[in-house]
Amino acid sequence: MVAALRPGRRHLLAAAATVAGALPAQATEGLRSIAARHGVTYGCAVQADWLQTDAVYAAAIAREAAALVPEGGAKWWDLRPAEGRFDFSALDAITGFAAKHGQVVRGHTLVWHAAMRPWTEAALEAGPARARRELEAHLDGVLGHAAGSIRDWDVANEAVADPWNSTELLKDSPWLRALGPAYLDLAFRLARARDLGLTLTYNDYGCEHDTPHDAEKRRRVLALVRGMLDRGVPIDAVGLQGHLHRDAAFSAPALASFVRSLRDLGLAVLITELDVIEPPEPSDPAPRDAAAAAITHAFVSTVLEAGGRAVLTWGITDPYSWANTEPAMARADGLPGRPLPLDAGFRPKPMWHALARAFAGQPWP
Ligand code: G3I
């Protein structure tokens, strides 16, 4: 019977068998439905090429996530490979997958200091008029193309300066140099003008922990969004990336107070890029996973209790995480990092269970 099938059909059957064989029984219900039962949206970052080439990965994304965000694919680097040209291929692959699996897609990111081709950087250096033209063309092209598939955009990403190397509010950036500090207001206003119904989000890292740097970053992010609101700038949400440092200090009251301050301004708060970055010790996976689960549960529970309603992890399975693919993130002992809910065999780790319990409002043992 199988021999009579066309090769493409045989490939599909083989892929289905691999998926079934790779998944343990306890993963038959994904985080997406567990979260949904408790009024929470769970999702994760995805890469288009893995969705297209790795059937086990694609099945895990379909099962676990109700929301997708392109890890790459919606950055200037991907969308604007050359002057005057747009490339929507990766983004379309992701929105197409999402449509098929009943998932929503967040856009990431319209304005960022990184992930731009040399032609874009040169255009921004050519003066404010050219920079504004490029920004408007980008918003026209991208928001127009994705209007039917993406309703929530990170309009600006990581614009606030890091307290450990700057006393300024805003980080140095080609956009800041081209358009001055008003570039953020401009980006949000232009986005709203193009599509009144979009959720416009400011996204940043470094606000999660109980350290002097994180406390100062929280203060700066609050100052930024308060200023925007005072100036009548349309902003709807703040994304807390949640790249947690496994052993860094954490204070639920400090984080909850920050989230509540944002909520009091009328802003939605969501976790956008959750993962757990490890220090070099120890090497045994069991204590590493236990510690990662504990801080994940504390962080997610705190944000949800303070009014957050969406949680996205920055990937789903350890080997595909930037913590393992970016050479600069490598552990000193050469062991792979374990930052995400599923392990290399797509089995749920303690972090997966920590998320499930946090979504349900249950304590972490
Ligand atoms: O696509 C090119 C490929 O054509 C080229 O041959 C190859 C050689 O370097 O590079 C490929 O690009 C890589 C790209 O990811 C592909 O998706 C870049 O090297 C690599 O640096 C890039 O890294 C991404 C990074 O953002 C920069 O865009 C990471 O995967 C992604 O996880 C990371 O995500 C960021 C968020 O956007 C913002 N918050 C922090 C987070 C982690 O750094």
Side-chain angles (χ1 to χ4, degrees):
M1 183 64 188
V2 169
L5 294 173
R6 283 178 292 125
R9 178 83 180 120
R10 213 162 37 230
H11 172 75
L12 284 182
L13 288 180
T18 316
V19 173
L23 295 178
Q26 71 267 31
T28 49
E29 181 175 25
L31 287 174
R32 68 183 282 177
S33 57
I34 297 170
R37 270 206 301 285
H38 301 283
V40 177
T41 300
Y42 169 72
C44 67
V46 292
Q47 299 257 19
D49 47 356
W50 299 329
L51 285 177
Q52 291 161 328
T53 58
D54 184 338
V56 182
Y57 171 82
I61 297 294
R63 183 187 70 246
E64 299 289 346
L68 306 183
V69 57
E71 184 170 352
K75 295 172 179 172
W76 277 70
W77 178 273
D78 311 275
L79 292 172
R80 308 295 300 281
E83 194 166 348
R85 191 159 76 77
F86 285 84
D87 179 354
F88 292 111
S89 53
L91 187 56
D92 288 349
I94 291 168
T95 55
F97 183 93
K100 213 163 116 192
H101 295 94
Q103 297 157 317
V104 296
V105 180
R106 303 192 68 243
H108 173 83
T109 174
L110 296 171
V111 173
W112 191 24
H113 63 271
M116 288 180 284
R117 307 268 179 174
W119 80 262
T120 316
E121 306 242 3
L124 297 186
E125 279 164 22
R130 175 76 196 282
R132 182 170 173 146
R133 269 204 314 280
E134 288 299 342
L135 177 60
E136 297 219 25
H138 191 70
L139 297 176
D140 284 337
V142 176
L143 298 184
H145 182 87
S149 53
I150 302 183
R151 305 303 303 155
D152 169 3
W153 275 96
D154 286 338
V155 177
N157 186 45
E158 303 174 358
V160 168
D162 291 316
W164 61 82
N165 63 17
S166 171
T167 54
E168 302 291 321
L169 177 65
L170 296 181
K171 181 182 282 167
D172 183 36
S173 146
W175 293 105
L176 179 67
R177 293 195 293 273
L179 292 164
Y183 83 93
L184 290 169
D185 293 9
L186 179 68
F188 279 81
R189 288 190 201 280
L190 292 175
R192 176 59 41 93
R194 275 158 183 75
D195 189 333
L196 294 177
L198 289 181
T199 297
L200 306 181
T201 301
Y202 175 73
N203 191 49
D204 215 331
Y205 61 83
C207 298
E208 295 82 4
H209 289 287
D210 189 25
T211 66
H213 281 146
D214 283 34
E216 172 61 11
K217 189 89 178 243
R218 288 193 285 272
R219 195 193 63 73
R220 292 182 189 185
V221 168
L222 260 176
L224 174 75
V225 298
R226 271 206 186 105
M228 291 171 77
L229 289 165
D230 287 348
R231 295 188 293 276
V233 175
I235 172 171
D236 304 304
V238 170
L240 307 180
Q241 292 188 0
H243 294 291
L244 301 176
H245 293 270
R246 196 192 63 199
D247 296 347
F250 177 77
S251 157
L255 181 65
S257 146
F258 175 58
V259 173
R260 277 197 297 270
S261 301
L262 293 168
R263 300 280 300 129
D264 288 347
L265 294 173
L267 298 170
V269 176
L270 66 163
I271 297 172
T272 51
E273 305 186 14
L274 175 62
D275 57 16
V276 181
I277 307 302
E278 301 178 286
E281 301 283 335
S283 51
D284 181 3
R288 291 162 60 194
D289 286 354
I295 191 153
T296 295
H297 185 273
F299 175 65
V300 172
S301 300
T302 302
V303 174
L304 294 180
E305 278 164 25
R309 275 294 157 266
V311 178
L312 288 90
T313 49
W314 203 236
I316 193 70
T317 178
D318 289 338
Y320 286 171
S321 162
W322 71 297
N324 285 318
T325 59
E326 292 283 313
M329 299 292 290
R331 282 170 60 103
D333 59 8
L335 287 174
R338 300 177 64 82
L340 288 169
L342 303 182
D343 71 10
F346 292 86
R347 288 175 295 263
K349 293 162 52 198
M351 183 181 178
W352 185 100
H353 294 281
L355 287 168
R357 291 187 72 87
F359 297 154
Q362 295 165 340
W364 186 242

